[in-house]
Amino acid sequence: VTSYRPPLRDIQFVLDHVAGLGEILSSDRYAHVDAETLREVLGEAGRFMAEVVAPTNVDGDRVGSQRKSDATVVTPPGFKEAYRQWVDSGFGAMAFDPDFGGAGFPRVSALAVLEMMTSANMSLSLCPLLTQSVIEAVDAYGSDGQRNTYLPKMLTGEWTGTMNLTEPQAGSDVGAVRCKAEPNADGSWRLFGQKIFITYGEHDLAENIIHLVLARTPGAPPGTTGLSMFVVPKFLVNDDNSLGVRNDAFCVAIEHKLGIHGSPTAVMAYGDNGGATGWLLGDEFGGMRYMFTTMNSARLSIGMEGLSVSERAYQDALAYAQERQQGTAVGAPKGERSFIIEHPDVRRLLMTQRAWIDGMRCLIYSNAAAVDRADAASTPDERVRWQELTDLLIPLSKALCTDLGNEMTSLALQVYGGMGYIEESGMAQYYRDARIAAIYEGTNGIQAADLVARKLGIRAGGVVFDLLDEFDDYARSMAESDVLSAFSASLAAAIETARSATSHLVATATTDLRSALSASSPYLRLLGTTVCGGLLARAALAASNPENGDDEFLSAKISSARFFGEQILPTVSGLLPAVLANSDELYRLTPGQLG
Ligand SMILES: Cc1cc2nc3c(=O)[nH]c(=O)nc-3n(C[C@H](O)[C@H](O)[C@H](O)COP(=O)(O)OP(=O)(O)OC[C@H]3O[C@@H](n4cnc5c(N)ncnc54)[C@H](O)[C@@H]3O)c2cc1C
């Protein structure tokens, strides 16, 4: 395991030249933020993640969080101290409302901090990640009293938050939630039921935990329309904001799992001792709507896990490839033991990771920038346009990047050969940690269904077609450059493939939904790869513009974008037959014949 090197210049390059940070900062909403301050804050955050957070990662995996017999949970060595420094740093409040102690920075800058924290220690990063979802929900739908009670302490991180959707019978099917809420005379509610898989449901990092719980009120209709959202603090909060009575919300077990051992995944029992006291957030039956609001940013953050863990694993793989000697590379003097980085297949492993990491970073930061642009829009039309782009890109950021998290950590492990399979090298941890991101926050299958069944429905695929039109401009500009002309041709071909695939699915989704859903995962890969290709074209054009300078960093950016364009982007055409096929082949075998 090498020490973590925060990729500050890579992040800044994408912010400036792909995500359009300059335009965001020039809007009225972000007039108080200047680019130089932002750059310094990111530099400071990078230093913090490398020096304070990253050293806790290996113990986090080996020791893990542990539940004690008194229902408390002890986090691994180093977590408490690193988290205390995180609270002191104020990074958690960066993108939130200044009225509650935030700095009001754009969302995309907070995501850059999250990228580095997740690379440094994915398990620890989940605690602020979930807290931010709770902050967003309380900020958007809470009463003034709730906002004043919970937000200031959650913005600093002194109190943390959890999201409680899942129950044994209610996973992807959130509408099957059974947890019950009964009204009290004073306006509060008593909650009863069990929630499973609750990230940071119990821990020793903060003095209070604010649980957001989806539950059903008496007489509520079945399904998602009957769900309401409740705020259930671990310790009730007194009028003077001091901590009061311990609530009837307890961790009864934590899961033993494949990865993210440092992050406690709790089974929570609400109301076993007479009822957990909670308060309705917003309106009765508003639960699912509120959940959707926080979902976009949570899905973006989980997509980031794919990128962050890939980046960390790549850094280690690159270092190993430069120190491990095996065989004699083609062209090396006879008898020389070459570093494995000289072998073509190892080069391919490294270039593939590098190119996809650049592509993922372009996608996720552009998605987060679209959120900021929607927030900062000066006209309703502009707001709608950025919101539509945000909504389209969310399933791509979440599912493509987390699938790639699995693939890229596997490639990084491969660079290590047998040592990669041995825990000591650290590669196994990245591989195991990355695995969950394709599952939680809506499995990648659910993301693909969302893309095809909902997002393509916006203006009959119009958001996709607008984006592809923009990529056409890049293909035209690249055609004029010697270095980028082959990339230009493959981008033009991918755009055409994506157009046909999209038109086909827009039509099929209304006439044959089962076939459209059968095509959903190959389509997500096809469109996601094309979007990464288009955004990398934007990056390559910026890197080759002499106005932006000329140095090794920029020429390396052009090279990895070209590699993506010439050798990875053409894979989209191979996905088209699976998109155009109907569902017959998937259903030809009976469940018995599949055996
Ligand atoms: C480590 C960890 C942490 C978690 N943290 C939290 C948390 O903090 N809060 C919380 O509420 N939950 C949390 N979860 C739960 C997580 O969000 C669920 O596991 C996830 O939503 C999937 O639900 P499930 O496990 O019941 O799988 P299922 O829904 O049973 O899915 C099984 C398979 O069927 C597929 N499938 C199911 N329905 C459909 C459909 N309609 N169309 C196509 N495919 C479908 C899925 O894609 C999947 O491949 C966590 C889970 C884990 C493992």
Coordinates of all heavy atoms in Angstrom, one line a residue, residues 121-191:
N121 N -10.4 6.6 2.7 CA -11.0 5.6 3.5 C -12.5 5.5 3.2 O -13.3 6.3 3.7 CB -10.8 5.9 5.0 CG -11.3 4.8 5.9 OD1 -12.3 4.0 5.5 ND2 -10.8 4.6 7.1
M122 N -12.9 4.6 2.4 CA -14.3 4.5 1.9 C -15.3 4.3 3.1 O -16.3 4.9 3.2 CB -14.5 3.4 0.9 CG -15.9 3.2 0.5 SD -16.0 2.1 -1.0 CE -17.7 1.5 -0.8
S123 N -14.8 3.4 4.0 CA -15.7 3.1 5.2 C -16.0 4.4 6.0 O -17.1 4.6 6.4 CB -15.0 2.1 6.1 OG -15.1 0.8 5.5
L124 N -15.0 5.1 6.3 CA -15.2 6.3 7.1 C -16.0 7.4 6.3 O -16.9 8.0 6.9 CB -13.8 6.9 7.5 CG -13.9 8.1 8.5 CD1 -14.7 7.7 9.8 CD2 -12.5 8.6 8.9
S125 N -15.8 7.5 5.0 CA -16.5 8.5 4.2 C -18.0 8.3 4.2 O -18.7 9.2 4.0 CB -16.0 8.5 2.8 OG -16.5 7.4 2.1
L126 N -18.4 7.1 4.5 CA -19.9 6.8 4.5 C -20.6 7.6 5.6 O -21.8 7.8 5.4 CB -20.1 5.3 4.6 CG -20.0 4.6 3.2 CD1 -19.7 3.1 3.4 CD2 -21.3 4.8 2.4
C127 N -19.9 7.9 6.7 CA -20.6 8.5 7.8 C -21.0 10.0 7.4 O -22.2 10.3 7.4 CB -19.7 8.5 9.0 SG -20.5 9.1 10.5
P128 N -20.1 10.8 6.9 CA -20.5 12.1 6.3 C -21.4 12.0 5.1 O -22.3 12.8 5.0 CB -19.2 12.8 5.9 CG -18.1 12.0 6.4 CD -18.6 10.7 7.0
L129 N -21.2 11.0 4.3 CA -22.1 10.8 3.1 C -23.6 10.7 3.5 O -24.4 11.4 3.0 CB -21.6 9.6 2.3 CG -22.2 9.3 0.9 CD1 -21.3 8.4 0.2 CD2 -23.6 8.8 0.9
L130 N -23.8 9.8 4.5 CA -25.2 9.6 4.9 C -25.7 10.8 5.6 O -26.9 11.3 5.5 CB -25.3 8.4 5.8 CG -25.7 7.0 5.2 CD1 -27.0 7.1 4.4 CD2 -24.6 6.5 4.3
T131 N -24.9 11.5 6.4 CA -25.3 12.7 7.2 C -25.7 13.7 6.2 O -26.7 14.4 6.4 CB -24.1 13.2 8.0 OG1 -23.7 12.1 8.9 CG2 -24.5 14.4 8.9
Q132 N -25.0 13.9 5.1 CA -25.4 14.9 4.1 C -26.7 14.6 3.5 O -27.5 15.6 3.2 CB -24.3 15.0 3.0 CG -23.0 15.4 3.7 CD -21.9 15.9 2.7 OE1 -22.1 15.8 1.5 NE2 -20.8 16.2 3.3
S133 N -27.1 13.4 3.3 CA -28.5 13.1 2.8 C -29.5 13.5 3.8 O -30.5 14.1 3.4 CB -28.6 11.6 2.6 OG -27.9 11.2 1.4
V134 N -29.2 13.3 5.1 CA -30.2 13.7 6.1 C -30.3 15.2 6.2 O -31.4 15.8 6.3 CB -29.8 13.1 7.5 CG1 -30.8 13.5 8.5 CG2 -29.8 11.5 7.4
I135 N -29.2 15.9 6.1 CA -29.2 17.3 6.1 C -30.1 17.9 5.0 O -30.9 18.7 5.2 CB -27.7 17.9 5.9 CG1 -26.9 17.6 7.2 CG2 -27.8 19.4 5.7 CD1 -25.4 18.0 7.0
E136 N -29.9 17.3 3.8 CA -30.6 17.8 2.6 C -32.1 17.6 2.8 O -32.9 18.5 2.5 CB -30.2 17.0 1.4 CG -29.0 17.6 0.7 CD -28.7 16.9 -0.6 OE1 -29.6 16.4 -1.3 OE2 -27.5 16.8 -0.8
A137 N -32.5 16.5 3.4 CA -34.0 16.2 3.6 C -34.5 17.1 4.6 O -35.6 17.7 4.4 CB -34.2 14.7 4.0
V138 N -33.8 17.3 5.7 CA -34.3 18.2 6.8 C -34.4 19.6 6.3 O -35.3 20.4 6.6 CB -33.5 18.0 8.1 CG1 -33.9 19.0 9.2 CG2 -33.6 16.6 8.7
D139 N -33.3 20.0 5.6 CA -33.3 21.4 5.1 C -34.5 21.6 4.1 O -35.1 22.7 4.2 CB -31.9 21.6 4.4 CG -31.7 23.1 4.1 OD1 -32.4 23.9 4.8 OD2 -30.8 23.4 3.3
A140 N -34.7 20.7 3.3 CA -35.8 20.9 2.3 C -37.2 20.8 2.8 O -38.1 21.5 2.4 CB -35.6 19.9 1.1
Y141 N -37.4 19.9 3.8 CA -38.8 19.6 4.2 C -39.1 19.8 5.7 O -40.2 19.7 6.1 CB -39.1 18.1 3.8 CG -39.0 17.9 2.3 CD1 -37.9 17.2 1.8 CD2 -39.8 18.5 1.4 CE1 -37.7 17.0 0.4 CE2 -39.7 18.4 0.0 CZ -38.6 17.6 -0.5 OH -38.4 17.5 -1.8
G142 N -38.0 20.0 6.5 CA -38.3 20.1 7.9 C -38.9 21.4 8.2 O -38.9 22.4 7.5
S143 N -39.5 21.5 9.4 CA -40.1 22.7 9.9 C -39.0 23.6 10.4 O -37.8 23.1 10.5 CB -41.0 22.4 11.1 OG -40.2 21.8 12.2
D144 N -39.3 24.9 10.7 CA -38.2 25.8 11.2 C -37.6 25.2 12.4 O -36.3 25.2 12.6 CB -38.7 27.2 11.5 CG -39.0 27.9 10.2 OD1 -38.5 27.5 9.1 OD2 -39.7 29.0 10.2
G145 N -38.4 24.7 13.3 CA -37.9 24.1 14.5 C -37.0 22.9 14.3 O -35.9 22.8 14.9
Q146 N -37.4 22.1 13.4 CA -36.5 20.9 13.1 C -35.2 21.4 12.5 O -34.1 20.9 12.8 CB -37.2 20.0 12.1 CG -38.3 19.2 12.8 CD -39.2 18.4 11.8 OE1 -39.4 18.8 10.7 NE2 -39.8 17.3 12.3
R147 N -35.3 22.3 11.6 CA -34.0 22.8 11.0 C -33.1 23.4 12.0 O -31.9 23.2 12.0 CB -34.3 23.8 9.9 CG -35.1 23.2 8.7 CD -35.7 24.2 7.8 NE -34.8 24.6 6.8 CZ -34.7 25.8 6.3 NH1 -35.5 26.8 6.7 NH2 -33.8 26.1 5.3
N148 N -33.7 24.2 12.9 CA -32.9 24.9 13.9 C -32.3 23.8 14.9 O -31.2 24.0 15.4 CB -33.6 25.9 14.7 CG -33.9 27.2 13.8 OD1 -33.0 27.5 13.0 ND2 -35.0 27.8 13.9
T149 N -33.1 22.8 15.2 CA -32.6 21.8 16.2 C -31.5 20.9 15.6 O -30.5 20.7 16.2 CB -33.8 20.9 16.6 OG1 -34.8 21.7 17.1 CG2 -33.4 19.9 17.6
Y150 N -31.7 20.5 14.3 CA -30.8 19.5 13.8 C -29.6 20.0 12.9 O -28.6 19.4 12.9 CB -31.6 18.4 13.1 CG -32.6 17.7 14.0 CD1 -34.0 17.9 13.8 CD2 -32.2 16.9 15.0 CE1 -34.9 17.3 14.6 CE2 -33.1 16.3 15.9 CZ -34.5 16.5 15.6 OH -35.4 15.9 16.5
L151 N -29.9 21.0 12.1 CA -28.9 21.3 11.1 C -27.6 21.8 11.6 O -26.6 21.3 11.1 CB -29.5 22.3 10.1 CG -30.7 21.7 9.2 CD1 -31.2 22.8 8.2 CD2 -30.2 20.5 8.5
P152 N -27.6 22.8 12.6 CA -26.2 23.3 12.9 C -25.3 22.2 13.4 O -24.1 22.1 12.9 CB -26.5 24.2 14.1 CG -27.9 24.7 13.8 CD -28.6 23.5 13.3
K153 N -25.7 21.2 14.2 CA -24.9 20.2 14.7 C -24.6 19.1 13.6 O -23.5 18.4 13.7 CB -25.5 19.4 15.9 CG -25.7 20.3 17.1 CD -24.6 20.1 18.1 CE -24.9 20.9 19.3 NZ -23.8 20.9 20.2
M154 N -25.5 19.0 12.6 CA -25.2 18.0 11.6 C -24.3 18.6 10.5 O -23.5 17.9 9.9 CB -26.5 17.5 10.9 CG -27.4 16.7 11.9 SD -28.8 16.0 11.1 CE -28.0 14.6 10.4
L155 N -24.4 19.9 10.3 CA -23.5 20.5 9.3 C -22.0 20.4 9.8 O -21.1 20.1 9.0 CB -23.8 22.0 9.1 CG -24.5 22.3 7.8 CD1 -25.9 21.6 7.8 CD2 -24.7 23.8 7.6
T156 N -21.8 20.5 11.1 CA -20.4 20.4 11.5 C -20.0 18.9 11.6 O -18.8 18.6 11.5 CB -20.2 20.9 13.0 OG1 -21.1 20.2 13.8 CG2 -20.4 22.4 13.1
G157 N -21.0 18.0 11.7 CA -20.7 16.6 11.8 C -20.7 16.1 13.3 O -20.4 15.0 13.6
E158 N -21.0 17.1 14.2 CA -21.1 16.7 15.6 C -22.1 15.6 15.8 O -22.0 14.8 16.7 CB -21.4 17.9 16.5 CG -20.2 18.8 16.7 CD -20.6 20.2 17.2 OE1 -21.1 21.0 16.3 OE2 -20.5 20.4 18.4
W159 N -23.2 15.8 15.1 CA -24.3 14.7 15.1 C -24.2 14.2 13.6 O -24.0 14.9 12.7 CB -25.7 15.3 15.3 CG -25.8 15.9 16.7 CD1 -24.9 15.9 17.7 CD2 -27.0 16.6 17.2 NE1 -25.5 16.5 18.8 CE2 -26.7 17.0 18.5 CE3 -28.2 17.0 16.6 CZ2 -27.6 17.7 19.3 CZ3 -29.1 17.7 17.4 CH2 -28.8 18.0 18.7
T160 N -24.5 12.9 13.6 CA -24.5 12.2 12.2 C -25.9 11.8 11.9 O -26.8 11.8 12.7 CB -23.5 11.0 12.2 OG1 -24.0 10.0 13.0 CG2 -22.1 11.5 12.7
G161 N -26.1 11.3 10.6 CA -27.4 10.9 10.2 C -27.4 9.6 9.5 O -26.4 9.1 9.0
T162 N -28.6 9.0 9.5 CA -28.8 7.7 8.8 C -30.1 7.7 8.0 O -31.0 8.4 8.3 CB -28.9 6.5 9.8 OG1 -30.2 6.6 10.5 CG2 -27.8 6.5 10.8
M163 N -30.1 6.9 6.9 CA -31.3 6.7 6.1 C -31.8 5.3 6.4 O -31.1 4.3 6.1 CB -31.0 6.9 4.6 CG -30.4 8.2 4.3 SD -31.5 9.6 4.6 CE -32.5 9.5 3.1
N164 N -33.1 5.2 6.8 CA -33.7 3.9 7.1 C -34.8 3.5 6.2 O -36.0 3.9 6.4 CB -34.2 3.9 8.5 CG -33.2 4.1 9.6 OD1 -32.9 3.2 10.4 ND2 -32.5 5.2 9.6
L165 N -34.5 2.9 5.1 CA -35.5 2.4 4.2 C -35.7 0.9 4.3 O -36.8 0.4 4.4 CB -35.1 2.7 2.7 CG -35.0 4.1 2.2 CD1 -33.8 4.8 2.6 CD2 -35.1 4.1 0.7
T166 N -34.6 0.2 4.3 CA -34.6 -1.3 4.0 C -35.1 -2.1 5.2 O -34.8 -1.8 6.4 CB -33.2 -1.8 3.7 OG1 -32.7 -0.9 2.6 CG2 -33.2 -3.2 3.2
E167 N -36.0 -3.1 4.9 CA -36.5 -4.1 5.9 C -36.3 -5.4 5.2 O -36.1 -5.5 4.0 CB -37.9 -3.8 6.2 CG -38.2 -2.5 6.9 CD -39.7 -2.1 7.1 OE1 -40.5 -3.0 7.0 OE2 -39.9 -1.0 7.4
P168 N -36.4 -6.5 5.9 CA -36.1 -7.8 5.3 C -36.9 -8.0 4.0 O -36.4 -8.5 3.0 CB -36.4 -8.8 6.4 CG -36.2 -8.1 7.7 CD -36.6 -6.6 7.4
Q169 N -38.2 -7.7 4.0 CA -39.0 -7.9 2.9 C -39.1 -6.7 1.9 O -39.7 -6.7 0.9 CB -40.5 -8.3 3.3 CG -41.3 -7.1 3.8 CD -40.9 -6.4 5.1 OE1 -40.0 -7.0 5.8 NE2 -41.4 -5.2 5.3
A170 N -38.4 -5.6 2.3 CA -38.5 -4.4 1.5 C -37.1 -3.9 1.1 O -36.4 -3.2 1.9 CB -39.2 -3.3 2.2
G171 N -36.6 -4.4 0.0 CA -35.2 -4.0 -0.5 C -35.4 -3.0 -1.7 O -35.8 -1.8 -1.5
S172 N -35.3 -3.5 -2.9 CA -35.6 -2.6 -4.0 C -37.0 -2.2 -4.0 O -37.3 -1.1 -4.5 CB -35.3 -3.4 -5.3 OG -34.0 -3.9 -5.4
D173 N -37.9 -3.0 -3.4 CA -39.3 -2.8 -3.4 C -39.6 -2.0 -2.1 O -40.1 -2.5 -1.1 CB -40.0 -4.1 -3.4 CG -41.5 -4.0 -3.5 OD1 -42.0 -2.9 -3.7 OD2 -42.2 -5.1 -3.5
V174 N -39.3 -0.7 -2.1 CA -39.4 0.1 -0.9 C -40.9 0.2 -0.5 O -41.2 0.3 0.7 CB -38.9 1.5 -1.2 CG1 -39.0 2.4 0.1 CG2 -37.4 1.5 -1.6
G175 N -41.8 0.0 -1.4 CA -43.2 0.1 -1.1 C -43.7 -1.0 -0.1 O -44.8 -0.9 0.4
A176 N -42.9 -2.0 0.1 CA -43.2 -3.1 1.0 C -42.9 -2.8 2.4 O -43.1 -3.7 3.3 CB -42.5 -4.4 0.5
V177 N -42.4 -1.6 2.7 CA -42.1 -1.2 4.1 C -43.3 -1.4 5.1 O -44.4 -1.1 4.7 CB -41.6 0.3 4.1 CG1 -41.7 0.9 5.5 CG2 -40.1 0.4 3.6
R178 N -43.0 -2.0 6.2 CA -44.0 -2.3 7.2 C -43.9 -1.5 8.5 O -44.8 -1.5 9.3 CB -44.0 -3.8 7.6 CG -44.5 -4.7 6.6 CD -44.7 -6.1 7.2 NE -44.7 -7.1 6.1 CZ -44.1 -8.2 6.1 NH1 -43.3 -8.6 7.1 NH2 -44.2 -9.0 5.1
C179 N -42.7 -1.0 8.7 CA -42.5 -0.2 10.0 C -43.6 0.7 10.2 O -44.1 1.4 9.3 CB -41.2 0.6 9.8 SG -40.5 1.3 11.3
K180 N -44.1 0.8 11.5 CA -45.4 1.5 11.8 C -45.1 2.8 12.6 O -44.2 2.8 13.5 CB -46.3 0.6 12.6 CG -47.0 -0.4 11.9 CD -48.4 -0.6 12.5 CE -48.7 -1.9 13.1 NZ -48.2 -3.1 13.3
A181 N -45.9 3.8 12.4 CA -45.9 5.0 13.3 C -47.3 5.3 13.8 O -48.2 5.3 13.1 CB -45.4 6.2 12.5
E182 N -47.4 5.5 15.2 CA -48.7 5.8 15.8 C -48.6 7.1 16.4 O -47.6 7.5 17.1 CB -49.0 4.7 16.8 CG -49.3 3.4 16.2 CD -49.5 2.3 17.2 OE1 -49.4 2.6 18.5 OE2 -49.6 1.1 16.8
P183 N -49.6 7.9 16.3 CA -49.6 9.3 16.8 C -49.7 9.4 18.3 O -50.4 8.6 18.9 CB -50.8 10.0 16.1 CG -51.7 8.9 15.8 CD -50.9 7.6 15.6
N184 N -48.9 10.3 18.9 CA -49.1 10.7 20.3 C -49.9 12.0 20.4 O -50.0 12.7 19.4 CB -47.7 11.0 20.9 CG -46.9 9.7 21.0 OD1 -47.4 8.6 21.3 ND2 -45.6 9.8 20.9
A185 N -50.4 12.2 21.6 CA -51.3 13.4 21.7 C -50.5 14.7 21.5 O -51.1 15.7 21.1 CB -51.9 13.4 23.1
D186 N -49.2 14.7 21.8 CA -48.5 16.0 21.7 C -47.9 16.3 20.3 O -47.1 17.1 20.1 CB -47.3 15.9 22.7 CG -46.3 14.9 22.4 OD1 -46.5 14.1 21.4 OD2 -45.2 14.8 23.1
G187 N -48.3 15.5 19.3 CA -47.9 15.8 18.0 C -46.7 14.9 17.6 O -46.3 14.9 16.4
S188 N -46.0 14.2 18.5 CA -45.0 13.3 18.2 C -45.6 12.0 17.8 O -46.8 11.8 17.8 CB -44.0 13.2 19.3 OG -44.6 12.5 20.4
W189 N -44.7 11.0 17.4 CA -45.2 9.7 17.0 C -44.4 8.6 17.7 O -43.3 8.9 18.2 CB -45.0 9.5 15.5 CG -45.8 10.5 14.7 CD1 -45.6 11.8 14.5 CD2 -47.0 10.2 13.9 NE1 -46.5 12.4 13.7 CE2 -47.4 11.4 13.3 CE3 -47.8 9.0 13.6 CZ2 -48.6 11.5 12.5 CZ3 -48.9 9.1 12.8 CH2 -49.3 10.3 12.2
R190 N -45.0 7.4 17.8 CA -44.3 6.3 18.3 C -44.0 5.3 17.2 O -44.9 4.9 16.5 CB -45.1 5.5 19.4 CG -45.1 6.2 20.7 CD -45.8 5.3 21.8 NE -47.1 4.7 21.3 CZ -48.3 5.4 21.2 NH1 -48.3 6.6 21.7 NH2 -49.3 4.8 20.7
L191 N -42.7 5.0 17.0 CA -42.4 4.1 15.8 C -42.1 2.7 16.3 O -41.4 2.5 17.4 CB -41.2 4.6 15.1 CG -41.6 5.7 14.0 CD1 -41.6 7.1 14.7 CD2 -40.7 5.7 12.8

